[in-house]
């Protein structure tokens, strides 16, 4: 069995989701978001992401992390901020001894919806179905679970 | 007295420089670079930056950190990588209880050379003069010392 932590980094909201994968079966463990303090400095917020992920990892003990890559598109300023948050997420995982895998948004969507251009709502829906959840996870938590599912598929050789 | 750590983050080479500032007098403490392993993954290299800065901070106990901002210009892909490294540097400082200040490359050059468009060689030369160094620090270490000097000036109300 592999316990996989999926992370969808963001300077305002970082989603996380943990899935257990064993022989092609995936079980939901936990998901949520780290919401950083809007009134604090950027440095402070980056530190909140680090400490939030640290706590999630120490509580649930995943064996491996998968982190969504930053899509270099529209706004370079947003991409740069996202890069900061993503670097912090990667190091939070590394500092806890987790191997870190990267997946593009396209690969993640393809893994859960079968279609690289899927909408956030489609991802949210399919995450709920694939993990047999009774409720819909929030969009950011669903994205993080989707990253974990993508890595689980990768481990199964499905991707 | 304030012991200031200046950081010039980079995914390949991260420069650091520490300066003691007391009543307008600046004393050199240490400078160097953290060179990440070219053959390793990006995640591994980010972790090397984190651990390298951690060691520098724990050895020399600076009270405050100043980090050069990423210049959003030329290559968005490089800026994104730099963003990762910079986020990691900021959190390494925060995790050690240091306040973190940001300065643009322009402000840093103005602080040490008096001219926002100064060349790397001019920065290197003026850092040597201002800190009364017997030798020239490497370009990356000089940049980091320049960030520390910039913050020292700021503390003195010179900026």
């Amino acid at each position: 069995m592999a316990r996989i932590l999926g992370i969808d980094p963001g300077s305002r909201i970082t989603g996380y989701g943990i899935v257990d994968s064993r022989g092609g079966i995936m079980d939901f463990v936990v998901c949520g978001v780290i919401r950083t303090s809007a009134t604090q400095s950027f440095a402070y917020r980056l530190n909140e992401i680090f400490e939030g992920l640290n706590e999630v990892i120490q509580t649930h003990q995943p064996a491996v992390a998968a982190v969504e890559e930053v899509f270099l598109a529209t706004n370079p300023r947003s991409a740069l901020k996202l890069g900061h948050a993503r670097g912090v997420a990667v190091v939070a995982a590394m500092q806890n001894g987790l191997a870190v895998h990267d997946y593009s948004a396209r690969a993640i969507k393809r893994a859960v919806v079968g279609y690289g251009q899927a909408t956030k709502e489609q991802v949210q829906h399919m995450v709920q179905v694939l993990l047999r959840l009774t409720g819909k996870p929030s969009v950011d938590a669903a994205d993080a679970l989707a990253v974990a599912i993508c890595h689980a598929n990768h481990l199964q050789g499905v991707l």
Side-chain angles (χ1 to χ4, degrees), chain A residues 23-43:
Chain A
I25 296 172
M26 279 182 285
D27 291 313
F28 171 78
V29 177
V30 73
C31 72
V33 298
I34 297 158
R35 208 174 289 273
T36 61
S37 311
T39 56
Q40 295 285 350
S41 70
F42 188 46

Side-chain angles (χ1 to χ4, degrees), chain A residues 22 59 111 129:
Chain A
R22 44 184 172 88
T59 305
V129 171

Side-chain angles (χ1 to χ4, degrees), chain A residues 2-155:
Chain A
R3 176 160 288 192
I4 305 163
L5 166 63
I7 306 175
D8 177 29
S11 60
R12 275 184 268 185
I13 298 176
T14 289
Y16 63 87
I18 300 183
V19 162
D20 281 343
S21 166
R22 44 184 172 88
I25 296 172
M26 279 182 285
D27 291 313
F28 171 78
V29 177
V30 73
C31 72
V33 298
I34 297 158
R35 208 174 289 273
T36 61
S37 311
T39 56
Q40 295 285 350
S41 70
F42 188 46
Y44 188 93
R45 298 168 79 165
L46 291 174
N47 199 44
E48 285 181 319
I49 296 170
F50 184 86
E51 298 196 333
L53 287 174
N54 222 8
E55 198 183 312
V56 168
I57 294 169
Q58 280 165 19
T59 305
H60 300 285
Q61 303 281 331
V64 59
V67 188
E68 183 164 343
E69 281 173 359
V70 177
F71 184 47
L72 261 183
T74 45
N75 186 338
R77 196 169 295 275
S78 314
L80 180 58
K81 276 202 173 176
L82 209 47
H84 281 68
R86 194 173 179 284
V88 168
V90 165
V91 166
M94 293 290 289
Q95 282 291 303
N96 283 285
L98 278 62
V100 176
H101 300 265
D102 306 318
Y103 294 100
S104 67
R106 200 188 175 78
I108 295 162
K109 286 175 176 176
R110 217 183 298 122
V112 296
V113 184
Y115 173 55
Q117 312 295 329
T119 64
K120 284 202 171 283
E121 290 68 31
Q122 289 173 311
V123 170
Q124 206 178 10
H125 174 72
M126 283 310 296
V127 163
Q128 184 181 0
V129 171
L130 291 168
L131 296 177
R132 309 173 301 282
L133 304 176
T134 49
K136 250 190 217 335
S138 75
V139 167
D140 298 284
D143 271 353
L145 286 169
V147 189
I149 292 170
C150 179
H151 184 63
N153 286 356
H154 182 80
L155 288 181

